[in-house]
Amino acid sequence: MARYSIFSLARHALRHHEDWPRAWRDPQPKPAYDVVIVGGGGHGLATAYYLAKNHGISNVAVLEKGWLGGGNTGRNTTIVRSNYLLPANARFYEHSLKLWEGLSRELNYNVMFSQRGVLNLAHSDAQMDAYARRGNAMRLNGIDAVLLDRDGVRDMVPQLDFSAAARFPIRGGLLQPRGGTARHDAVAWGFARAADARGVDIIQNCEVTGILREGDRVTGVETTRGTIRAGKIGLAVAGHTGHVAAMAGLRLPIESHLLQAAVSEPLKPLLDTVVTSGAAHVYVSQSDKGELVFGGDLDFYNSYAQRGNLPAIASFTTALIALFPGFGRLRLMRHWGGVMDMTMDGSPIIGKTPLRNFYIDGGWCYGGFKATPGSGWVFAHTIANDAPHPLNEAFSLERFASGHVIDERGAGPVPGAH
Amino acid sequence: MPPQPFRLPQGGRIDRSRSLAFTFNGRRYDGHPGDTLASALLANGVALVARSFKYHRPRGVMSAGAEEACAFVQLGEGARSDPNCRATQIELFDGLTAASLNCWPNVQLDFGVVSDRLHRLLPAGFYYKTFMWPRRGWLTYEKLIRRAAGLGRAPSEPDPDRYEKRFAHADLLIAGGGPAGLAAALAAGRTGARVILADENGEFGGQLLWRDAEIDGEPALRWVERSLAELSSLPEVRLLPRSTVAGYYDHNFLTVLERVTDHLSPFAAPTATPRQRLWKVRARQVVLATGAIERPLVFINNDLPGIMLAGAAQAYIRRHAVRPGGRAVIFTNNDSAYETVAALSEAGVAITAVIDARAGDTAAAEACLRRGIEVLRGHAVIDASGGHALREVTVAPLDGSATALAGAASTLRCDLLCVSGGWSPTVHLFSQSGGKLAFDAASGCFIPGESRQAERSAGAARGSFDLAACLAEGHAAGLAAARAAGFAGPDSPPPQAPAQAMSPIRPLWEVPSPHQGRRDRKFVDLQNDVTAADIALAAREGYRSVEHTKRYTTAGMGVDQGKTGNLNTLAILAGETQGAIPAVGTTTFRPPYTPVTIGALAGRGVGDFYDPVRKTPMSPWHEARGAVFEPVGKWRRPLYYPGPGEGMEAAVRRECLAVRNAVGLCDASTLGKIDIKGRDAVTLLDRVYTNSWGSLAIGRCRYGLMLKDDGMVFDDGVTTRLGERHYLMTTTSGHAEAVFGWLEEWLQCEWLGLDVYLTSVTTHWATAMLAGPRAREVLAAAGTDIDTSRAGSPYMTVREGHVAGIPARLFRVSFTGELSFEINVPARYGLALWETLMAAGAAFGIEPIGTEALHVLRAEKGYIVVGHDTDGTVTPYDLGMGWIVDQKKPDFIGKRGLRRSDLVRTGRRQLVGLLTDDPAQIIPEGSQIVRSGASLAATPVPMLGHVTSSYWSPALQRSIAMALIEGGQDRQGEAVEAVLPDRTLRAVIGTSRFYDPEGVRLHG
Amino acid sequence: MADAVPVARSPLAHLPEAAREMRDDLAVSLRERPLLGLLNLRLDAASEAAQRVKAALGFGLPGEPNRATGEGGRSALWLGPDEYLVVTEPGGEAALARSLAEALQDRGAVTDVSDGRTAIEIAGSRARDVLATGCSLDLHPRVFRAGQCAQSGLAKARIILHQIDDRPGYRVFVERSHAEYLWLWLMDAAAEYRAAT
Amino acid sequence: MLLIPCPWCGPREEGEFAPGGEGHIRRPEPQAASDQDWAEYLYYRTNPKGLHFERWVHAAGCRRWFNVARDTVTHEIRAVYKMSENRPEGL
C-alpha cells in the first residue's frame, strides 16, 4: 500500500499525479472464501479490515451490490458521538469513539474526524432533568459530558434564538466535547484501501440474490456474478438487513424506514458544533465545504425508496428556523433519503442468528455511522470466534424474546424508538 | 467610460426609457428594466464578476440562466443579505446592491489566488492523503480549510421577509414556458382542463425571447404574445412566471417555488405579499418542457472571463441588447452556434473566426463564408490566455479521432469566445420522477427514457432541438395529458414553424492538449474547479463508479449541481475507463432543481404559528394573574402563580401549604376525557386496564392502570361509571390523544365485534380541581345543589347537579391526598366557574395551584406520574403496584408481556422513596444512584438506578425523592449515594408514601 | 352567588372586539359562529334506528361519505361510516340529544360535544385561496360543492369543513383548544388576498 | 408524498394519515404463547422490499383504520381494503 503523506503528495505533484496507484484492486470473485461479508458500506469494510488485522483471517470477500459506501455510509449526516445513557450502549459507542480518534492514522487515510463537540439542546426543565440523568450516567461510565446552562449554550452557539419569543426556549444543553463529525465517503474508502492491502477481495457491482443453506447452516451466496461458497457469512447491509436476511429465511425485529436529510448551499463558517434538538426533531452541523448538513425524523412508513420526500423536509427546515432564525434566508441545495434499519427498541443487533455460520450486524436505526469502526471491531470478533465480544453481548436477537430490550428512549415496542 | 458602453442602441426587450441604478462591489452602475444583473454588468463592461471556489480564479458570466457556474454574488446587505445568487437570474431593480463572493480584499486583488499557484499540490482528494499528523492535528488544519471553503455569508439577523405555501390541484402541470410548454398549455387549456404553466423566468417564451424564429408565419414573439393572451383568458389556466418547478415526488406531487417579489426592491414590495411562495401541486398529469442546457467545451484555461456559452451570447444581444464583447471567436462542434454568429454580426461585434470541430462542409459554415466570416473547419480552440479578461485563444487542427492535434497552432486575438459543445436536455425533473435516462448517441446526450409516473417530456427536454418539433411535441403532449385527465374538449391545429435542416454534431468531450500527459488544466466543473486531470486521477486511483468520481473530485456537487459539467464529466470518465458513456451511467439528480429558500419551505409555520398552543377556558385568567407556564404536550399549563416579588420556590411552598391547610384550585381541564358508551363498554375496560371493572356501581369511580402489550406501563387515570352502559375515562394530559387513538385501534383492528362507541370529550368539559380541608366550604359558598357531605359524596364517587348555577359533574377524587373535588362543567362556563370559586374561596384562603405544587403534593403521597416516574420500561410490579394487576382475568393488554423472563427476574429497577441524610438537601432529578462508598474514580461505576422525582416538601419540612433502584423493594433502609456533578449526597431507601400514609385526610 | 347567571363564553370571546371579525365582502370575510349545538351521533346507518333518527331530526342522515344533509338551522355531517356530527342552533342541543337518545333505544350513541368545538365561517371570492394556504383538500367547484363536507387539516389544526353556499361560504369546525391558534392563523393567511382586492 | 385512497373518503394527502405498520399480524393466544411467540407478535416484521401489506388510519379524516397493499420501493398503492377484509388475491 503506497503510503499517503504530504511528502508523497509533493513527490507525485512533480509527476502531475500521473502514477498514483489504485486505492484498491478490482478482483474477480473467487469460487470460495473463508468469510463473505455482504455489504460494502463502512460496517462491512471495517469488519473485513478487522477480520484481517485482529484475527488474521484475510481470505475474505466483501460483496457490494453497487459502489462502495453507496448506501447509508454515503447518505448520512456524519455525526459521531457516544452520549448514551444505558451501559450497554455507552460502553459500545465509547469504544467506537476511541477507535475514531485514531482512525485516520490507523488507515493512513484522512477521514477528517472533527471533534467539534455534539450539543443536545434542552428546552424545558424536564429535558434538563433527562440530560442531567444522561450526563451523570455518561460520567460514571467514563465518558466526557458537560451539562451547559443557558449562557453556556449561548457562548457556543450564539445564532440560536435566545429571545423571549423563542418557540424553543434554550434552558441549557448536554455537550459531549469529544463528539463531532467525519467525512463519510472517506471512511468507506479508507477501510476499503486498508482491507484490500491486507488481502481482502472487495467486489463491487455484485448483488447477493440468494443465500445457500444446508439445514440450519449457511454455506454460500448466489450473486449476480455467480455462486460464491463461504465458510461464514456476515451481513452488514443496514437498511436492507430485513431484505437479505429473508433470503436466508429469517424474519427480524426490524422495519426499514426512510430518513430524510439535506444540505444547504456552501457558506463561510457559521456553526462550529453539531447541534441537535430532540424536541424540535432536527440536528444540524456545517461541513468543511461550508454546507449546513441537517436532518430530522423518519417518514414513519416502511420504505426502501432512497429518495427525498417533502413532509419531513418541510417540518425539519421549519424547526431549523425556529432554532436559528437567521437560517431562513439560506437555500436548501440538495435533499435525499436513506433507508434506516429500525429495530423495535432502537438498539442494534450484532451477533449470531438461529442459522449456523450466519451473523448479523444491523438494526442501526439512525446510529450506524458513528458505530462504523466499533461494529467492525466486535462483528469481526463475533465471526472469528463464533461468539460475541463482551461489548456486543447485549445486542443479541434473544433480547426481544426475554424482554431485556435496550430501550434508550423508553418508548416501548415501536420501530424507530431511537 | 461612457454609461453602459456595451449597450446596443436599439433592439432587445429592455425599457431604455427608464434607468435603474445599482451598485456592484461598491461601484455605482446603471441598467434598464429587462436587465438581469449579469446583462447589466456586461453592458457596463464588467467582465470580472467572481472568484472560483477552490483556486480563486477570476471568473465572468458564462451563461444566461440557471445553469450559471461562475457568476455568483452576495445580493443585498444586512438582514436581507442573500448569499450565492446567480447574477444571470437576478432581475435588476433600482437600488440593487451586490458584491463578489469568496475573495479578499477584493475581486481584482484576491489573496486566495495563492491556492491557484499551489494547484499542483492540491489535486482531487488531496485532503484524504495528508493532514494526518499530528494525531489531533486535523482540528487545526480544518479551521484553515473551513475558512477557505464556503461561498457567501449567511445573514446574522432573522429574515424579515414573509413566505407563503399553498396547495394546488391541477389536471396538468407544465414545467417550462418555452415553445413546447406554451404549445402544451394551449392544447390542454382549450379542452377546459385545469392547467398550471410555470416558468423560472420573468417572461414566458424560453429561447423564443432571443432566437430569430417564425411561428405560424409571423415573428415568434408575436405568437408568444397571442398565446399568453389566450391562456390568460382561459379561466382554468394559471400562469406562474418566476416560478421554478423544483421537486418531483411520488404520486405526481411537485413543488414550485414562485419568486413573488424578488424582482422588486424590498422597499417597493407590498407588505402583505410574500417574498416567495412554495406551491405544493398534486397534478393528474405532468408535461416536462424544461428545455436544454448548452455544454461548454473542455480546453486549457476554458474558464477565463470572456468565455461564454454561444446561446448565452445570443441571449445577451437579442434579449438584453448587450454587446458581450468587441472581438469574438466562436468555437463549436454543432450548428446551433451559427445563430450566435449572425447575432454577433448584427450587433456589430467583430468576428475573428468561427472554429468548427467538424471537418466536413456544413450549410451553416457555407453561409458564414459567403458573408466573409472565416471558418476554420476541423479545428479546435486548445488554449486561452488573459488575466482578468480574455486576450487571445490558440487554435489548432484536430486529427480524425479528435483525440490528438493534427498540425501547428496559431493564436487569435479576441475578448469574447463563444463556445458550444452541444445541448443537454434538462432531464433533472424527469430523473427525480423516477424515470430512467437513455443515451442518444446521435445528439450525444441523455434523453428521457421510460416514464415511471403520469408524465411526458416534450421539445428540447426530450432531445428535439428543432423548433417545429418542439411545437409539435408540446402540442401533442398537452393534448394527450388533457385526454388522460379525462377532458374530451376540442383538438386544435398545432402551431407551425419552418423545419430547419441541421448537420450532425461532432462529439468533442475534451479538446486534446499540445502537451503529453495530464499537466494541463481544463475545467470540467467550473463551479468546484474540477479539471479533466482530476477526473483522470480519480479513475486512475479506482474511484471509477460515477458516484465515486463525483464525490472524490466534487464534480457536480456545487451550487449549480453540475448543470453544465455533468455530461463532460461522464464522457471523460468513460474515456479514462475505456467504457461507453451509457455504461458509465449518470448520477441521480436529487431535488431541488435549483436551491430553494429554507424560509419558503417553512412558509408561515414560524413564530406563533410553528405549532398550535392549546388553551383551556381558564387560560385568560391564568395569563391575567401572571402565571408562569410550562409546556405539557401542546398545552401550556400554569407551573406556578408568583405573588409580588415571589420566586418559584416560595410560590410553590405557598401553594402546597394552601392545599394542606386551607384550599387550592387547579385548572385540570387538560386531563384527557373519553366518553364510552355501548353494551360492551365494561368488556373494553376489562381488556385495557389491569384491574377488573364488572363490579363498579353506577356513580362510582375507580383508578386504572394501562399497559402496552409488552407489559410496560402506558397510562393511568380514573374511570367513572355514569350509567348502565356509559362510562367516562380520564387519561393523563400528555397522553390523551395517544390513549384515544390506541383504544380506537384495538376496537377497529382487533375487537371488531364489540359494541362500544368512544367520543373524545376532553375539551367539551372544563375541569376545576378544588382540593384542601376547606373545599366543602368553598363549594357551599359558591352554591351547589349537590350533597357534598362525606355520606352524600363519598370518596371515589360522582354526583351530577349544579355548582354556582352551572350544570356540573362533581367527582370526589384526589390526586393530592386531601379532601378534593374535580368539578366538570361545559367548557363555555369554565371561566365563570373558576372566577366564582376563586371569589367564593377568598374567605377560606383559596390559592390557585400550578402543576409544580400539584407534583409536590402527589409526591408527598407517593403517587406516580406516568412519563415522569415511568419511561416505557417500567412494569406495575416495578412500581410496587402489583395490587392493581388482576391476574385472575383471562386476559388484558400486557398480561402475557408481564410474564416474559426478563420482566419477572429479580433485580429489576423498582420505585422506592429516598430520604437524604441532610433533610435540607434536595437531590436533583435525574441523579444517578450508586452504592454507598462506591469509588467514582474507577469507571465504569455500577449504577443502581436514578432519581425520578425530587422535591422540597413544605408539609414535611424536608426533601423527599422517588427513585428507580435495582431490587429497591428489598433494599428498604439501605444507604445509597446520589451522584451530582461535583459531589455526592447520602440517602436512605424507604417507602415513597411520605405523607398521611393511612389516607385519613383524603377521606376527610 | 348561586343565583348569579353564569356567563357562557366561546373560545374566542376573550379576544378584543376588533380582532374578532374580518369583513371584506369582495374578497374574504371571517367570523365565528359561537356556541352552536353539536352532537356526536354514532349508529349503523343501515339499522332501523336510522329511521327513528330521521324522524327525530326531521331529515335523513347523509347516505354517502363527506356529504351533509340538513334543514333550517339543523344539519348532519358525515364523519365516518357510523359517525355523524349533528349541528343545531345554539341551545338546541340538550333537547335534540334527548330525542335522538330515545330514537336510538340503546343502539349506537349520542354525545353532546357542543363545547368541544367552535365554528368559524369563511366566505368570499378568495376564500378558496385562503383555505388552500393550509388545507390539502381540492375545493375546486368541479370537485367540492355546497352540501359537501370533509375532515382534514388546516394549518396545524384538524378541522371539519362544511361548504354551506356558493359564495363560496364554508364552516370550519375546530377543536376548542385550537380555536385561537386557527383564528389568528386564518386572519394572517387572509391578509394577502384581502390586500389584493 | 403519497396520495392515499381512503376506502371511505377517497384520495387524500399523506399528511392526513398515520401508518400502523405491518397488517394482518395475529395476536397469539396469551396462555399458549411462548416468549418467542410473543416477541414475534410484538417485534418481528416481514419488512419486504416490494409489496407490503400494512395498515393505516385516516387520522385527520374519518379516523378509520384500513389495510393498504403498497410497494415499498415504488410506493405504488396496489390496493386498499377494510379491516374486516382479507388480503386481496393475485397481488
Side-chain angles (χ1 to χ4, degrees), chain B residues 818-999:
Chain B
E818 296 297 331
L819 167 67
S820 169
F821 299 89
E822 285 182 11
I823 309 153
N824 280 14
V825 299
R828 71 186 62 182
Y829 297 120
L831 187 51
L833 174 74
W834 182 273
E835 287 168 334
T836 312
L837 290 171
M838 284 305 296
F844 308 96
I846 196 167
E847 297 280 357
I849 304 302
T851 50
E852 183 66 12
L854 201 60
H855 279 202
V856 175
L857 295 162
R858 64 88 196 176
E860 289 174 334
K861 291 290 296 179
Y863 296 155
I864 60 155
V865 170
V866 172
H868 194 91
D869 302 293
T870 72
D871 70 357
T873 64
V874 178
T875 72
Y877 298 103
D878 298 339
L879 295 171
M881 294 174 71
W883 53 268
I884 203 173
V885 183
D886 179 356
Q887 288 289 2
K888 294 190 300 302
K889 283 199 293 181
D891 188 18
F892 56 83
I893 295 174
K895 187 183 183 195
R896 176 60 186 86
L898 279 173
R899 278 207 341 257
R900 296 181 298 161
S901 61
D902 191 68
L903 279 69
V904 296
R905 74 177 160 89
T906 56
R908 284 185 63 86
R909 292 190 169 187
Q910 298 170 320
L911 192 73
V912 295
L914 274 186
L915 291 178
T916 48
D917 289 6
D918 174 355
Q921 296 286 347
I922 304 169
I923 310 173
E925 287 187 357
S927 299
Q928 296 292 332
I929 301 297
V930 300
R931 274 194 185 69
S932 127
S935 149
L936 301 187
T939 60
V941 183
M943 287 165 264
L944 296 176
H946 72 278
V947 173
T948 62
S949 297
S950 181
Y951 306 96
W952 173 262
S953 163
L956 302 165
Q957 283 301 302
R958 65 152 299 136
S959 71
I960 57 170
M962 294 157 79
L964 283 164
I965 303 282
E966 277 175 21
Q969 280 147 24
D970 305 327
R971 290 175 181 263
Q972 304 283 329
E974 187 176 320
V976 293
E977 280 177 39
V979 184
L980 280 56
D982 50 347
R983 64 205 162 100
T984 63
L985 282 177
R986 200 165 174 289
V988 175
I989 299 174
T991 170
S992 57
R993 263 186 256 96
F994 301 100
Y995 182 80
D996 182 28
E998 297 72 30

Side-chain angles (χ1 to χ4, degrees), chain D:
Chain D
M1 181 112 160
L2 308 181
L3 187 68
I4 301 173
C6 168
W8 287 275
C9 303
R12 295 286 188 93
E13 292 294 334
E14 178 179 322
E16 290 187 7
F17 300 84
E22 183 173 5
H24 304 292
I25 292 174
R26 198 184 51 81
R27 185 171 185 260
E29 200 42 58
Q31 288 75 0
S34 69
D35 280 5
Q36 184 59 31
D37 297 338
W38 208 250
E40 308 252 342
Y41 151 67
L42 280 180
Y43 305 117
Y44 282 60
R45 297 295 179 259
T46 307
N47 196 27
K49 184 179 186 179
L51 190 60
H52 186 235
F53 293 88
E54 58 195 11
R55 69 189 194 198
W56 289 71
V57 60
H58 193 185
C62 63
R63 300 195 300 111
R64 289 314 179 273
W65 283 89
F66 58 98
N67 293 301
V68 176
R70 181 179 59 92
D71 186 304
T72 57
V73 180
T74 64
H75 290 171
E76 179 198 2
I77 292 173
R78 308 272 297 278
V80 297
Y81 51 103
K82 298 176 180 173
M83 286 317 300
S84 52
E85 300 176 72
N86 298 326
R87 282 170 213 244
E89 299 302 319
L91 279 182

Side-chain angles (χ1 to χ4, degrees), chain B residues 704-913:
Chain B
L705 197 61
M706 280 178 188
L707 313 182
K708 285 282 182 82
D709 230 347
D710 62 353
M712 304 302 179
V713 172
F714 170 44
D715 198 55
D716 69 345
V718 169
T719 291
T720 303
R721 186 171 189 185
L722 294 168
E724 187 53 38
R725 48 194 278 283
H726 185 194
Y727 295 77
L728 183 75
M729 171 187 284
T730 62
T731 74
T732 58
S733 299
H735 275 158
E737 279 81 8
V739 171
F740 184 65
W742 181 75
L743 293 175
E744 277 290 350
E745 184 174 7
W746 281 100
L747 284 172
Q748 292 185 38
C749 302
E750 286 290 326
W751 305 328
L752 278 66
L754 288 192
D755 180 71
V756 184
Y757 297 99
L758 307 180
T759 312
S760 169
V761 291
T762 299
T763 54
H764 174 73
W765 298 99
T767 305
M769 192 191 92
L770 188 66
R774 313 199 66 176
R776 274 198 195 92
E777 297 162 75
V778 177
L779 277 173
T784 179
D785 51 9
I786 299 170
D787 174 359
T788 65
S789 72
R790 202 170 168 170
S793 303
Y795 182 54
M796 294 304 265
T797 60
V798 65
R799 297 291 179 259
E800 303 200 37
H802 293 76
V803 174
I806 302 166
R809 289 174 179 165
L810 193 66
F811 296 84
R812 174 85 153 76
V813 295
S814 177
F815 189 49
T816 59
E818 296 297 331
L819 167 67
S820 169
F821 299 89
E822 285 182 11
I823 309 153
N824 280 14
V825 299
R828 71 186 62 182
Y829 297 120
L831 187 51
L833 174 74
W834 182 273
E835 287 168 334
T836 312
L837 290 171
M838 284 305 296
F844 308 96
I846 196 167
E847 297 280 357
I849 304 302
T851 50
E852 183 66 12
L854 201 60
H855 279 202
V856 175
L857 295 162
R858 64 88 196 176
E860 289 174 334
K861 291 290 296 179
Y863 296 155
I864 60 155
V865 170
V866 172
H868 194 91
D869 302 293
T870 72
D871 70 357
T873 64
V874 178
T875 72
Y877 298 103
D878 298 339
L879 295 171
M881 294 174 71
W883 53 268
I884 203 173
V885 183
D886 179 356
Q887 288 289 2
K888 294 190 300 302
K889 283 199 293 181
D891 188 18
F892 56 83
I893 295 174
K895 187 183 183 195
R896 176 60 186 86
L898 279 173
R899 278 207 341 257
R900 296 181 298 161
S901 61
D902 191 68
L903 279 69
V904 296
R905 74 177 160 89
T906 56
R908 284 185 63 86
R909 292 190 169 187
Q910 298 170 320
L911 192 73
V912 295

Side-chain angles (χ1 to χ4, degrees), chain A residues 4-6 9-10 13-24 67-69 74-75 85 91 98 101-102 104-105 108-110 112-116 124-125 129 132-134 136-137 139-142 167-168 183-186 189 204 264-272 280 286-291 294 307-310 313-315 317-322 325-336 400-404 407 409-413, chain B residues 53 79-85 102 120-121 123 126-133 135-136 138-139 142 145-161 163 165 249-250 253 255 275 280 452 517-519 528 537 540-545 547-548 551-552 554 557-559 561 590-592 595-599 601-602 605-607 610-612 710 871-873 900-903 905 909 925-928 930 936 939-941 943 946 979 981:
Chain A
Y4 291 159
S5 73
I6 183 68
L9 196 63
L14 301 174
R15 300 194 294 274
H16 304 284
H17 305 283
E18 279 175 22
D19 44 20
W20 279 109
R22 294 192 58 134
W24 53 80
W67 39 281
L68 297 183
R75 292 167 182 275
L85 172 68
R91 280 199 299 276
K98 289 203 167 80
E101 287 173 325
S104 290
R105 304 179 85 197
N108 178 236
Y109 201 103
N110 186 359
M112 303 182 190
F113 179 42
S114 166
Q115 293 182 285
R116 53 181 70 178
S124 68
D125 294 346
D129 294 345
R133 177 187 170 195
R134 181 186 295 202
N136 293 337
R139 276 189 295 271
L140 292 172
N141 280 316
R167 184 62 181 72
F168 292 99
R183 175 85 182 100
H184 53 9
D185 296 323
W189 299 339
Q204 302 186 66
S264 76
E265 296 177 340
L267 300 149
K268 290 296 175 189
L270 73 155
L271 184 63
D272 300 330
Q286 188 176 21
S287 76
D288 290 340
K289 205 164 170 282
E291 300 147 338
F294 49 99
R307 52 181 184 268
N309 190 16
L310 192 69
I313 297 294
S315 69
T317 46
T318 310
L320 191 66
I321 300 176
F327 289 4
R329 217 169 175 86
L330 307 179
R331 276 180 293 268
L332 181 147
M333 184 167 76
R334 257 197 319 276
H335 73 86
W336 63 91
F400 293 95
S402 71
H404 197 307
D407 187 347
R409 196 185 69 175
Chain B
F53 185 82
R80 285 200 165 86
S81 178
D82 208 341
N84 308 342
C85 297
N102 204 34
R120 279 170 75 172
L121 278 174
F126 70 96
Y127 30 71
Y128 298 126
K129 296 190 170 100
T130 178
F131 303 128
M132 286 176 275
W133 183 93
R135 192 162 183 277
R136 291 202 181 283
W138 173 244
L139 273 180
E142 186 184 42
I145 287 177
R146 286 188 65 198
R147 235 176 274 140
L151 281 175
R153 301 191 178 283
S156 45
E157 301 112 282
D159 188 346
D161 285 329
Y163 301 86
K165 293 198 280 190
Y249 303 94
D250 291 328
F253 180 85
T255 53
R275 176 194 174 210
K280 300 180 280 181
R452 224 206 74 223
R518 278 286 179 197
R519 64 195 54 195
N528 274 355
L537 175 62
R540 188 176 313 125
E541 294 195 82
Y543 303 91
R544 290 162 166 247
S545 146
E547 280 292 342
H548 281 166
R551 288 156 179 260
Y552 190 68
T554 74
M557 307 290 279
V559 177
Q561 300 189 357
R590 289 165 170 174
V596 171
T597 314
I598 289 173
L601 287 162
V606 293
Y610 179 82
D611 225 3
D710 62 353
D871 70 357
T873 64
R900 296 181 298 161
S901 61
D902 191 68
L903 279 69
R905 74 177 160 89
R909 292 190 169 187
E925 287 187 357
S927 299
Q928 296 292 332
V930 300
L936 301 187
T939 60
V941 183
M943 287 165 264
H946 72 278
V979 184

Side-chain angles (χ1 to χ4, degrees), chain B residues 169, chain C residues 62 64-69 76-80 83 85 117 120 131 135-140 143-154 157-164 169-174 182, chain D residues 6 8-13 16 58-63:
Chain B
H169 304 261
Chain C
E64 51 181 315
N66 297 302
R67 290 293 192 282
T69 52
L77 281 57
W78 184 97
L79 299 184
E83 182 170 15
L85 181 71
R117 294 180 180 275
I120 295 169
L131 291 169
C135 179
S136 63
L137 293 170
D138 185 354
L139 299 178
H140 189 283
V143 182
F144 199 93
R145 278 172 241 85
Q148 276 171 265
C149 63
Q151 295 159 97
S152 185
L154 178 55
R158 290 183 178 181
I159 59 160
I160 302 168
L161 186 72
H162 177 199
Q163 184 170 348
I164 49 179
Y170 302 88
R171 237 178 223 183
V172 179
F173 294 92
V174 60
L182 188 65
Chain D
C6 168
W8 287 275
C9 303
R12 295 286 188 93
E13 292 294 334
E16 290 187 7
H58 193 185
C62 63
R63 300 195 300 111

